[in-house]
Amino acid sequence: MIVFERRMEANAIWTLASFIIAVVAGLAASAVLIASTGANVQEVFGALLQGSVGSPKALATTLVKAAPLILTGLATVIAFRAQIWSIGQEGQVFAGAMGGYLGAQLLAGLPPLLFFPGVLAFGMAAGMGLGWIAAVLRNRFGVNEIISTVMLNYLVVYLLSWLLQGGPWGETGGTVAYHQSPMLPGEAFLPALFGSSRLHTGVLLPFLAAAICALVMSRTPLGYEIRGLGYNPEALRHKGVDIGRTVTVIMMASGALAALAGSIELFGVAHRLRADNLIGLGYAGIIVGMIGGLSPVGTVLAGLFFGGLASGAVYMRVLGDVPASLVPAMQGITLFFFLCAGVLARYRIVMKVAAQ
C-alpha cells in the first residue's frame, strides 16, 4: 500500500529536485499543448526566448512586466504565510493607481525628490486603507477575509469605472468621453534607466521590497508573529501577542505592496489611469507568490518567469502562430506542477504492507 507521510523537516536536495521536476513537467505539458494547436514547438519556445531575453529591449520589457507581479506576489507572501487568505491584491492594485493619480494632482509642481515619494505614498496609503477595512471586518465582525477582499475588489473597480466614465477623472474629446484619464505631464513620468524608453526606476522597487520582506520575515518580531500566526495562532495568543493587531498590520502591509504595483504601473508604464492596464495584476500575483513557495526570493524568480512569459507572448503569437489564450494556459499549467512540487517537498512516499 502506498501512503504519503509528512516529513518532519524539509530535505533541501529533495525540495530542489521536486521543483526541477515541476519545471521539466511544466515545459513538457506546455509543449504538448502547443503541439495540439498545430504550431511548431521549437519555433514557439524560440520565439518565447527571443521575446523575453533575446535583446536588451526584450529584457527591459521582461523586467517592466515582472515588477508589478513581484510586488503583488510579495503581498500574497506576507498574508498567506500568516494563513490570512486575502484575495484583495487586485483591488489594491487599482487603489494604488487611483491614490497615486490623486497624489499627482495634489502634489503637482513639487521637485522630483518630493513628488515621486509623495505620489507613491498616496498610492500605498490607498492599498493600506483597503487592507485595514478587511482586517476590521475580520477582527470585529468575524467576516471571512476571502469574502471581504473579493467584494472590495469589485467596489474599487466600479469606483474607477465611474471616475473615468463620465466622472471627474475622465478624458473627453469634443462630445466623446474616453474610459481613461488625461495623460500625466512628462515630469510625472518615472525617470528612465540607462536611457531606455521602457525601463524605468520603478523596476528597482520590487527587488528592494523583496529584500525588506526577507529581512522582516526572518529577523524581526513581526516576522516571528507572521510565521507563528500561520503555524499556531493559539500558541501565539498564549504568548501574549495581540492577534487582532497582528492581522491588521499584515493586511495593511500586504495592501501597501499590492498598491505600490498599481502606482508604478501608472507612473512608469501607462502614464494615465486605464483599467485595462491594471486588470489581472493582482490575481496573477497570487499565482506568482504560490509558485514562489511563499518566499520572497522564490517570488522574485517566479515574477521574472511570468514577466518573461508576458514579454514573449507577442513574439509567440506573431512568430509561433499560436492563439493568445496559450500564455494564460501555460501559466496555469506551471502553477499546477509547482503546487504538486510543494506537496512532494513536504511529504514522502512510503510503501507499507497491509496487516493480515
Side-chain angles (χ1 to χ4, degrees), residues 182-341:
M183 183 71 73
L184 291 169
E187 57 268 21
F189 295 7
L190 282 171
L193 288 174
F194 312 116
S196 170
S197 60
R198 295 172 179 267
L199 200 60
H200 56 81
T201 51
V203 301
L204 302 176
L205 296 178
F207 300 97
L208 176 61
I212 293 174
C213 285
L215 182 64
V216 168
M217 295 287 289
S218 61
R219 302 299 179 96
T220 66
L222 176 60
Y224 167 79
E225 292 180 10
I226 291 173
R227 298 194 307 275
L229 191 59
Y231 287 130
N232 193 332
E234 285 303 316
L236 200 63
R237 183 178 286 108
H238 285 301
K239 196 173 177 61
V241 174
D242 186 338
I243 300 297
R245 179 193 63 82
T246 301
V247 168
T248 302
V249 170
I250 291 170
M251 297 194 76
M252 290 178 69
S254 177
L257 286 168
L260 182 58
S263 294
I264 66 172
E265 279 294 293
L266 171 65
F267 295 104
V269 179
H271 304 134
R272 65 167 83 222
L273 268 180
R274 291 180 57 180
D276 56 352
N277 284 45
L278 305 171
I279 290 175
L281 293 178
Y283 294 127
I286 296 175
I287 297 175
V288 167
M290 294 293 291
I291 287 180
L294 296 183
S295 75
V297 174
T299 298
V300 170
L301 296 176
L304 291 172
F305 173 74
F306 271 57
L309 276 181
S311 178
V314 175
Y315 280 76
M316 288 173 61
R317 290 198 296 268
V318 175
L319 302 180
D321 193 25
V322 295
S325 58
L326 185 65
V327 170
M330 291 175 64
Q331 292 175 343
I333 289 170
T334 304
L335 173 62
F336 171 76
F337 282 109
F338 269 81
L339 291 177
C340 290

Side-chain angles (χ1 to χ4, degrees), residues 89-111:
Q89 293 86 332
E90 184 80 359
Q92 290 155 0
V93 168
F94 278 75
M98 294 161 64
Y101 188 79
L102 175 62
Q105 294 179 320
L106 298 177
L107 304 179
L110 289 180

Side-chain angles (χ1 to χ4, degrees), residues 164-165 169-172 177-182 272-275:
L164 296 181
Q165 189 67 36
W169 288 354
E171 182 182 32
T172 57
Y178 303 100
H179 205 72
Q180 61 186 21
S181 71
R272 65 167 83 222
L273 268 180
R274 291 180 57 180

Side-chain angles (χ1 to χ4, degrees), residues 122-150:
F122 264 83
M124 294 172 71
M128 291 173 69
L130 288 182
W132 177 80
I133 292 172
V136 169
L137 290 173
R138 169 176 161 147
N139 293 334
R140 294 281 183 87
F141 305 104
V143 177
N144 185 286
E145 64 271 15
I146 297 176
I147 296 173
S148 63
T149 52
V150 169

